[in-house]
Amino acid sequence: MVAAAVVLLAGCGSGNGGAPAATSSADPSLGTVTLAEDGVQEVTIETPDDYVFVPDAFAVDPGRVRLTVTSTAEQMTHNLRFRPDAGPEEITEEIPLLAPGESRTIEFEVTAPGEHPFDCTFHVQLGQSGVMTVRG
Ligand SMILES: [Cu+2]
């Protein structure tokens, strides 16, 4: 006699993250340190076909750092390694060999103010070095 009503629950409310997608293409602020939502300092530098880092110097505050190296090279391969025993603290994280056009990110923590030199170990003799300064 009584028909059972079938109730359809519409709309399972997923996808309510609320995080706006940051669209960043062709970053005009290379080497500029920004603070990510998780509180980590983020900085991006590039390696072109020349034996340089672009830029070859940036500064961070003590804390966690997320460093991205993007290859804009068409032929050259580069890496990035903090020079052992050269800075006020040891940073063992490193960017392994970057193929042309490749991009990699490492994350590490710095606590000691001062200059932390880094190199492309393949081209350090050609002057491909840079410095990350940790502010006091
Ligand atoms: Cu190199």
Side-chain angles (χ1 to χ4, degrees), residues 47-48 50-53 76-79 119-124 128:
T47 53
D50 304 307
Y51 307 115
V52 292
F53 292 106
M76 298 300 301
T77 55
H78 302 288
N79 69 354
D119 307 301
C120 168
T121 60
F122 297 93
H123 305 123
V124 60
Q128 189 176 9

Short mmCIF file of all heavy atoms in Angstrom, two decimals, residues 47-48 50-53 76-79 119-124 128, ligand 1:
data_model
loop_
_atom_site.label_atom_id
_atom_site.label_comp_id
_atom_site.label_asym_id
_atom_site.label_seq_id
_atom_site.Cartn_x
_atom_site.Cartn_y
_atom_site.Cartn_z
N THR A 47 69.40 27.04 -13.47
CA THR A 47 70.69 26.74 -14.08
C THR A 47 70.52 26.73 -15.59
O THR A 47 69.87 25.84 -16.13
CB THR A 47 71.22 25.37 -13.62
OG1 THR A 47 70.20 24.39 -13.85
CG2 THR A 47 71.58 25.38 -12.15
N PRO A 48 71.08 27.72 -16.23
CA PRO A 48 70.99 27.76 -17.70
C PRO A 48 72.13 26.95 -18.34
O PRO A 48 72.77 26.15 -17.68
CB PRO A 48 71.12 29.25 -18.00
CG PRO A 48 72.00 29.76 -16.90
CD PRO A 48 71.69 28.91 -15.68
N ASP A 50 74.82 28.18 -19.24
CA ASP A 50 76.09 28.72 -18.77
C ASP A 50 76.45 28.11 -17.43
O ASP A 50 75.63 27.45 -16.79
CB ASP A 50 75.99 30.25 -18.63
CG ASP A 50 75.56 30.90 -19.92
OD1 ASP A 50 76.20 30.63 -20.96
OD2 ASP A 50 74.57 31.66 -19.90
N TYR A 51 77.67 28.37 -16.98
CA TYR A 51 78.13 27.78 -15.73
C TYR A 51 77.82 28.71 -14.56
O TYR A 51 78.72 29.21 -13.88
CB TYR A 51 79.63 27.49 -15.82
CG TYR A 51 79.98 26.66 -17.03
CD1 TYR A 51 80.77 27.18 -18.04
CD2 TYR A 51 79.53 25.35 -17.15
CE1 TYR A 51 81.09 26.42 -19.15
CE2 TYR A 51 79.83 24.58 -18.25
CZ TYR A 51 80.62 25.12 -19.26
OH TYR A 51 80.92 24.36 -20.35
N VAL A 52 76.54 28.95 -14.37
CA VAL A 52 76.12 29.87 -13.31
C VAL A 52 74.83 29.36 -12.67
O VAL A 52 74.09 28.58 -13.26
CB VAL A 52 75.85 31.30 -13.86
CG1 VAL A 52 77.14 31.96 -14.32
CG2 VAL A 52 74.84 31.27 -14.99
N PHE A 53 74.63 29.84 -11.44
CA PHE A 53 73.31 29.74 -10.83
C PHE A 53 72.65 31.10 -10.95
O PHE A 53 73.31 32.14 -10.79
CB PHE A 53 73.42 29.36 -9.35
CG PHE A 53 73.94 27.97 -9.11
CD1 PHE A 53 75.23 27.76 -8.65
CD2 PHE A 53 73.13 26.86 -9.33
CE1 PHE A 53 75.72 26.47 -8.42
CE2 PHE A 53 73.60 25.57 -9.10
CZ PHE A 53 74.89 25.38 -8.64
N MET A 76 73.28 21.59 -21.13
CA MET A 76 74.13 21.35 -19.97
C MET A 76 73.37 20.64 -18.85
O MET A 76 72.18 20.83 -18.67
CB MET A 76 74.68 22.67 -19.43
CG MET A 76 75.56 23.43 -20.40
SD MET A 76 76.99 22.47 -20.89
CE MET A 76 77.74 22.19 -19.31
N THR A 77 74.10 19.81 -18.12
CA THR A 77 73.56 19.22 -16.90
C THR A 77 74.30 19.80 -15.71
O THR A 77 75.49 20.07 -15.77
CB THR A 77 73.73 17.69 -16.91
OG1 THR A 77 75.11 17.38 -17.12
CG2 THR A 77 72.89 17.06 -18.01
N HIS A 78 73.57 20.03 -14.63
CA HIS A 78 74.14 20.64 -13.43
C HIS A 78 73.59 19.93 -12.20
O HIS A 78 72.55 19.28 -12.24
CB HIS A 78 73.77 22.12 -13.34
CG HIS A 78 74.21 22.95 -14.50
ND1 HIS A 78 75.53 23.28 -14.75
CD2 HIS A 78 73.49 23.51 -15.51
CE1 HIS A 78 75.59 24.03 -15.86
NE2 HIS A 78 74.37 24.18 -16.33
N ASN A 79 74.29 20.13 -11.12
CA ASN A 79 73.75 19.71 -9.82
C ASN A 79 73.97 20.84 -8.82
O ASN A 79 74.50 21.92 -9.18
CB ASN A 79 74.38 18.40 -9.34
CG ASN A 79 75.84 18.55 -8.96
OD1 ASN A 79 76.46 19.61 -9.15
ND2 ASN A 79 76.41 17.50 -8.43
N ASP A 119 77.94 24.55 -4.70
CA ASP A 119 78.59 24.41 -6.00
C ASP A 119 77.79 23.48 -6.89
O ASP A 119 77.05 22.62 -6.42
CB ASP A 119 79.99 23.79 -5.86
CG ASP A 119 80.86 24.53 -4.86
OD1 ASP A 119 81.09 25.73 -5.08
OD2 ASP A 119 81.31 23.89 -3.89
N CYS A 120 78.01 23.63 -8.19
CA CYS A 120 77.76 22.55 -9.12
C CYS A 120 79.06 21.78 -9.16
O CYS A 120 80.09 22.32 -9.60
CB CYS A 120 77.39 23.07 -10.51
SG CYS A 120 77.40 21.76 -11.76
N THR A 121 79.05 20.56 -8.67
CA THR A 121 80.33 19.85 -8.52
C THR A 121 80.97 19.52 -9.86
O THR A 121 82.16 19.24 -9.92
CB THR A 121 80.12 18.56 -7.71
OG1 THR A 121 79.21 17.71 -8.40
CG2 THR A 121 79.58 18.87 -6.32
N PHE A 122 80.20 19.56 -10.91
CA PHE A 122 80.77 19.28 -12.23
C PHE A 122 81.49 20.50 -12.80
O PHE A 122 82.39 20.38 -13.62
CB PHE A 122 79.67 18.83 -13.21
CG PHE A 122 79.02 17.55 -12.81
CD1 PHE A 122 77.87 17.56 -12.05
CD2 PHE A 122 79.58 16.33 -13.16
CE1 PHE A 122 77.26 16.38 -11.66
CE2 PHE A 122 78.99 15.14 -12.77
CZ PHE A 122 77.83 15.17 -12.02
N HIS A 123 81.06 21.69 -12.39
CA HIS A 123 81.58 22.91 -13.01
C HIS A 123 82.14 23.90 -12.00
O HIS A 123 82.25 25.08 -12.29
CB HIS A 123 80.46 23.58 -13.84
CG HIS A 123 79.86 22.68 -14.86
ND1 HIS A 123 78.51 22.39 -14.92
CD2 HIS A 123 80.44 21.97 -15.86
CE1 HIS A 123 78.28 21.55 -15.93
NE2 HIS A 123 79.43 21.28 -16.51
N VAL A 124 82.47 23.38 -10.81
CA VAL A 124 82.99 24.30 -9.80
C VAL A 124 84.29 24.95 -10.26
O VAL A 124 84.56 26.11 -9.95
CB VAL A 124 83.17 23.58 -8.45
CG1 VAL A 124 84.13 22.42 -8.57
CG2 VAL A 124 83.58 24.55 -7.35
N GLN A 128 81.07 27.81 -11.20
CA GLN A 128 79.64 27.67 -10.93
C GLN A 128 79.42 27.39 -9.45
O GLN A 128 79.33 26.24 -9.01
CB GLN A 128 79.01 26.56 -11.78
CG GLN A 128 77.49 26.57 -11.65
CD GLN A 128 76.82 25.56 -12.55
OE1 GLN A 128 77.46 24.73 -13.17
NE2 GLN A 128 75.50 25.63 -12.63
CU CU B 1 77.10 22.78 -13.63
#
